Amino acid sequence: MAMSIRLREAVLRHLQSRGSTGLDGAVRRLSLEVEVEGRLETVLLALRDGELQCVSSDGLEDGPHVATALRFIGGLDVGEASLRPGQQVTATTPENVRPAHDLADALDDLLTAITRVGVQGAQYAPSVEATLERVLEAAPSPTPAGLGRFVGRLNHELRERDPRKVARMLAGVSGLVDALRSETPTPESDFVVETWLGARAGAGPEIELLYDRTMVEVGREWMAGVDRASVERRYLIDVRTGEVYREDRPRNATASLGPCPRELHVGLAEVESSPAPRRIRVLQYEVRPDVSSATWERLSQVASRSFSEVTEWYRRSLRAAPALAEPFYLLKPYRTERNGVFKAFDADGHQLVLDRTERRGAVLAFYDLLSEGMNPVWLAGRLTDTGATLCLAPFAVGTAEGRYIRL
């Protein structure tokens, strides 16, 4: 109850400081993070056709997290802590909150340190290690997901010593520094801050609600953050649109249940306005462990057949979030070529190089199948580039066996 009381006090203080806005508005949807007995769940409250709908991320419509959220909205847990008009409350600043300009300065120093020593020597440079530690000290605690993932990716790119990719990461950092130092936030700067650090105080990320969708999970992997294997990422594909979503599960946290691959009939989900692929929270769903042949076939129908469109989407994704976008796409090649370098082509002759730098066993097995003459029905994987050439690192592949398609 204490956290709810503090949150309500903060809201009342904010309202008292601003006074009436004179606007006639209505709240139709709320998303709250609710902790009950040490377990954190997201609760969604929404008005749909005039009726209140409540659901938590564990799939319950009347569980303890929903009940706590309803009590909070109804003011039933405030008790004697509610404020009277004109009453003053002394606010304390949590120790883990750092001013935005401190983080901006630390990130600026990181840019300078890497530039001075160069990409080839940055991996073990004491100055780079020291500035990275300063960044994490200046950041909110726990480390926000976007910033944590950036640290993991930056360390990887420094190990690979790829100047082009490191420059792309640093360009994204520069954009964050500018957004943090902006005295008059804009929608664009707010989006940058949200994707890196979460929403600014008093705001929330833009959410799209999805209803009644069928999705297929085609793979999952552990991603590096501040620590190795910090987040398990699942790739879900909407069989209606072909869009790929990511369901990120931090270590020791919960996510939707079921094996991989699996078919999900999603009753309700939230999708964040975030770098590609967009992050999804599945709130209401049913799981089918055995994906039907018709669903696999449906993936081949919604997969993109135009590599020029894929290329343009990839470039837009990088422009929007050069350090955080990790484009993942579903496509259907017209043909493949195996002359030294594996390539996929669309019907207009546009090509994708199939990247072999990842050494996971499943990827190597895929190239063995290509060498034996297998033609993939569809491909799903990460998009990257070598400058002028678009590349795909295959993560999942659909193959035809007679009248059936399998993963």
Side-chain angles (χ1 to χ4, degrees), residues 335-336 338 369-370 373-377 398-400:
R335 65 181 179 88
T336 57
R338 309 167 186 84
L369 291 173
L370 279 182
M374 179 272 293
N375 288 308
V377 177
T399 61

mmCIF file of all heavy atoms in Angstrom, residues 335-336 338 369-370 373-377 398-400:
data_model
loop_
_atom_site.group_PDB
_atom_site.id
_atom_site.type_symbol
_atom_site.label_atom_id
_atom_site.label_comp_id
_atom_site.label_asym_id
_atom_site.label_seq_id
_atom_site.Cartn_x
_atom_site.Cartn_y
_atom_site.Cartn_z
ATOM 1 N N ARG A 335 14.290 -17.216 -55.480
ATOM 2 C CA ARG A 335 15.271 -18.277 -55.708
ATOM 3 C C ARG A 335 16.490 -18.009 -54.842
ATOM 4 O O ARG A 335 16.674 -16.900 -54.332
ATOM 5 C CB ARG A 335 15.677 -18.370 -57.179
ATOM 6 C CG ARG A 335 16.425 -17.144 -57.690
ATOM 7 C CD ARG A 335 16.771 -17.282 -59.166
ATOM 8 N NE ARG A 335 17.470 -16.106 -59.676
ATOM 9 C CZ ARG A 335 18.788 -15.938 -59.639
ATOM 10 N NH1 ARG A 335 19.561 -16.899 -59.128
ATOM 11 N NH2 ARG A 335 19.343 -14.847 -60.122
ATOM 12 N N THR A 336 17.329 -19.008 -54.670
ATOM 13 C CA THR A 336 18.583 -18.851 -53.938
ATOM 14 C C THR A 336 19.743 -19.255 -54.840
ATOM 15 O O THR A 336 19.567 -20.021 -55.806
ATOM 16 C CB THR A 336 18.603 -19.706 -52.661
ATOM 17 O OG1 THR A 336 18.373 -21.079 -53.008
ATOM 18 C CG2 THR A 336 17.558 -19.230 -51.671
ATOM 19 N N ARG A 338 24.050 -20.364 -54.822
ATOM 20 C CA ARG A 338 25.076 -20.946 -53.946
ATOM 21 C C ARG A 338 26.468 -20.906 -54.575
ATOM 22 O O ARG A 338 27.271 -21.783 -54.355
ATOM 23 C CB ARG A 338 24.714 -22.394 -53.605
ATOM 24 C CG ARG A 338 23.306 -22.554 -53.085
ATOM 25 C CD ARG A 338 22.865 -24.008 -53.048
ATOM 26 N NE ARG A 338 21.478 -24.138 -52.684
ATOM 27 C CZ ARG A 338 20.462 -24.026 -53.527
ATOM 28 N NH1 ARG A 338 20.701 -23.753 -54.804
ATOM 29 N NH2 ARG A 338 19.229 -24.157 -53.110
ATOM 30 N N LEU A 369 21.825 -27.507 -45.544
ATOM 31 C CA LEU A 369 20.641 -27.809 -46.349
ATOM 32 C C LEU A 369 20.662 -27.046 -47.669
ATOM 33 O O LEU A 369 20.294 -27.592 -48.719
ATOM 34 C CB LEU A 369 19.368 -27.469 -45.572
ATOM 35 C CG LEU A 369 19.045 -28.354 -44.362
ATOM 36 C CD1 LEU A 369 17.863 -27.790 -43.593
ATOM 37 C CD2 LEU A 369 18.759 -29.777 -44.806
ATOM 38 N N LEU A 370 21.093 -25.782 -47.636
ATOM 39 C CA LEU A 370 21.205 -25.019 -48.881
ATOM 40 C C LEU A 370 22.200 -25.678 -49.831
ATOM 41 O O LEU A 370 21.965 -25.757 -51.044
ATOM 42 C CB LEU A 370 21.642 -23.589 -48.583
ATOM 43 C CG LEU A 370 20.593 -22.571 -48.131
ATOM 44 C CD1 LEU A 370 21.236 -21.206 -47.948
ATOM 45 C CD2 LEU A 370 19.444 -22.482 -49.125
ATOM 46 N N GLY A 373 20.853 -28.376 -51.855
ATOM 47 C CA GLY A 373 19.846 -28.043 -52.857
ATOM 48 C C GLY A 373 18.485 -27.676 -52.301
ATOM 49 O O GLY A 373 17.530 -27.500 -53.065
ATOM 50 N N MET A 374 18.340 -27.539 -50.997
ATOM 51 C CA MET A 374 17.061 -27.173 -50.408
ATOM 52 C C MET A 374 16.706 -25.738 -50.781
ATOM 53 O O MET A 374 17.536 -24.845 -50.711
ATOM 54 C CB MET A 374 17.126 -27.325 -48.886
ATOM 55 C CG MET A 374 15.828 -26.950 -48.154
ATOM 56 S SD MET A 374 15.708 -25.191 -47.731
ATOM 57 C CE MET A 374 17.005 -25.020 -46.519
ATOM 58 N N ASN A 375 15.459 -25.503 -51.191
ATOM 59 C CA ASN A 375 14.971 -24.164 -51.465
ATOM 60 C C ASN A 375 14.019 -23.749 -50.352
ATOM 61 O O ASN A 375 12.954 -24.370 -50.185
ATOM 62 C CB ASN A 375 14.246 -24.106 -52.815
ATOM 63 C CG ASN A 375 15.208 -24.210 -53.976
ATOM 64 O OD1 ASN A 375 16.175 -23.466 -54.042
ATOM 65 N ND2 ASN A 375 14.944 -25.135 -54.889
ATOM 66 N N PRO A 376 14.350 -22.735 -49.568
ATOM 67 C CA PRO A 376 13.484 -22.339 -48.459
ATOM 68 C C PRO A 376 12.166 -21.750 -48.946
ATOM 69 O O PRO A 376 12.125 -21.004 -49.929
ATOM 70 C CB PRO A 376 14.319 -21.287 -47.717
ATOM 71 C CG PRO A 376 15.269 -20.760 -48.735
ATOM 72 C CD PRO A 376 15.559 -21.909 -49.652
ATOM 73 N N VAL A 377 11.082 -22.108 -48.262
ATOM 74 C CA VAL A 377 9.775 -21.531 -48.572
ATOM 75 C C VAL A 377 9.695 -20.112 -48.027
ATOM 76 O O VAL A 377 9.160 -19.216 -48.671
ATOM 77 C CB VAL A 377 8.656 -22.408 -47.971
ATOM 78 C CG1 VAL A 377 7.281 -21.792 -48.226
ATOM 79 C CG2 VAL A 377 8.715 -23.817 -48.557
ATOM 80 N N GLY A 398 11.454 -21.955 -43.205
ATOM 81 C CA GLY A 398 10.391 -22.890 -43.528
ATOM 82 C C GLY A 398 10.789 -23.717 -44.722
ATOM 83 O O GLY A 398 11.234 -23.185 -45.749
ATOM 84 N N THR A 399 10.678 -25.043 -44.616
ATOM 85 C CA THR A 399 11.044 -25.933 -45.710
ATOM 86 C C THR A 399 9.841 -26.769 -46.117
ATOM 87 O O THR A 399 8.982 -27.078 -45.292
ATOM 88 C CB THR A 399 12.201 -26.875 -45.316
ATOM 89 O OG1 THR A 399 11.776 -27.689 -44.217
ATOM 90 C CG2 THR A 399 13.416 -26.069 -44.895
ATOM 91 N N ALA A 400 9.780 -27.130 -47.379
ATOM 92 C CA ALA A 400 8.670 -27.926 -47.898
ATOM 93 C C ALA A 400 9.038 -29.388 -47.912
ATOM 94 O O ALA A 400 10.119 -29.770 -48.368
ATOM 95 C CB ALA A 400 8.308 -27.453 -49.314
#
